[in-house]
Structures are given as structure tokens and as C-alpha cells.
């Protein structure tokens, strides 16, 4: 009798962020180049944790935080942000596992479609999402800072 294939470590160790995880998650996001001067990552985490429509999922390898995804929905579409895998732990299935967990979280909330945004120059990330079944949809994104400042890139 054949044993089932082993799951990646991250698939067995993904849970919502805890209070003690915030600094480690922000550090991972900074190492992965996900933070921007106009977004406060601690405030983003606090907002995601505030209500029932969002969370931050954290994947671990032992005690190390190796993957994250901020996931939420508007009641119709799900979105993921801050998808990160530790550069020293890439290629081990953590990215796929954290995205599987984000998809499962949305399915449990009754959400049928997940969307995400990737900067056009991030070819490596585009290839990753294509490899796990995501397809590009042509959209034009409009934005406006409500405090009147100029648009950011």
C-alpha cells in the first residue's frame, strides 16, 4: 500500500497571525520588497484583523515565519495581498501552500472568485501564479488618494 504524498511543511503549519507574529511578518514583507512608503504594514495588519472579512495567514517552518498572505473579501470577490515567501525558503512549496490556504479561507466564507494584483515588471511572480492555475485578466485600475495627494506608482 502506497503512503499519500507528504505535504509541504507550510501546508501543515498555516494559521491566522497572532499578536507576537506582527514584527516577524513585517520583517518578511520588507525582505521580500512588499512594503511601500505610503502603506503602513502594521496598520494594514491591524485593519485585516479587525473584522470578519479579512485575516493574515502565516506559514511556518518550525518556529520560522516562511510565508504569509493577507486575504479578505467584499462579499463578492476575494483578494490577496502581501503574499510572501522567505527568500531562503523558496522552492519548497510554501508559496503554493499559503495560496491554497487563502483559497480555502475564501471558500469557507462562500467567496467564489479570488483576484490579486501583480506589478507588470514582476515576471517571476507572474510565472508563479500562472504555475498554480491563475490567469491574467485585462483590467484598467483607477485609483484616487482621498486626501488629495498625487498617485503613487
Amino acid at each position: 500500500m502506497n503512503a499519500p504524498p507528504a505535504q509541504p511543511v507550510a501546508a501543515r503549519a498555516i494559521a491566522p497571525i497572532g499578536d507576537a507574529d506582527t514584527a516577524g511578518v513585517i520583517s518578511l514583507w520588507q525582505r521580500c520588497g512588499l512594503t511601500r512608503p505610503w502603506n503602513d504594514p502594521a496598520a494594514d495588519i491591524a485593519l485585516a484583523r479587525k473584522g470578519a472579512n479579512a485575516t493574515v495567514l502565516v506559514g511556518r517552518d518550525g518556529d520560522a515565519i516562511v510565508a504569509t498572505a493577507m486575504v479578505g473579501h467584499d462579499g463578492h470577490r476575494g483578494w490577496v495581498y502581501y503574499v510572501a515567501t522567505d527568500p531562503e525558503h523558496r522552492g519548497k512549496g510554501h508559496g503554493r501552500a499559503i495560496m491554497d490556504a487563502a483559497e480555502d479561507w475564501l471558500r469557507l466564507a462562500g467567496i467564489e472568485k479570488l483576484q490579486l494584483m501583480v506589478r507588470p515588471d514582476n515576471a517571476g511572480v507572474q510565472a508563479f501564479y500562472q504555475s498554480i492555475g491563475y490567469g491574467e485578466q485585462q483590467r484598467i485600475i483607477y485609483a484616487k488618494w482621498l486626501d488629495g495627494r498625487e498617485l503613487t506608482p
Side-chain angles (χ1 to χ4, degrees):
M1 174 179 346
N2 291 337
Q7 288 182 308
V9 173
R12 297 186 304 253
I14 295 175
I17 190 171
D19 292 340
D21 297 326
T22 299
V25 167
I26 291 171
S27 175
L28 174 62
W29 292 352
Q30 289 169 337
R31 288 192 317 275
C32 293
L34 297 179
T35 58
R36 296 294 182 265
W38 52 86
N39 291 339
D40 176 354
D44 289 346
I45 291 169
L47 183 61
R49 296 181 75 194
K50 206 174 183 177
N53 286 7
T55 193
V56 178
L57 299 174
V58 177
R60 300 179 194 285
D61 185 351
D63 291 333
I65 294 173
V66 296
T68 65
M70 180 181 290
V71 59
H73 67 85
D74 60 12
H76 183 64
R77 290 177 190 88
W79 288 88
V80 292
Y81 303 92
Y82 290 112
V83 176
T85 56
D86 188 310
E88 294 179 19
H89 291 267
R90 290 188 179 152
K92 298 178 182 178
H94 298 298
R96 178 180 294 271
I98 201 75
M99 286 302 296
D100 286 347
E103 291 173 11
D104 289 344
W105 189 90
L106 289 166
R107 281 187 197 97
L108 285 172
I111 304 302
E112 297 180 351
K113 184 178 185 183
L114 187 154
Q115 298 183 153
L116 53 93
M117 294 182 283
V118 176
R119 288 186 172 84
D121 61 343
N122 200 340
V125 169
Q126 291 174 34
F128 165 71
Y129 286 118
Q130 290 168 358
S131 78
I132 62 171
Y134 285 79
E136 182 179 345
Q137 290 189 315
Q138 294 296 316
R139 302 290 186 266
I140 298 173
I141 299 171
Y142 287 90
K144 177 182 181 180
W145 285 105
L146 299 179
D147 63 5
R149 67 183 124 159
E150 294 294 318
L151 282 179
T152 51

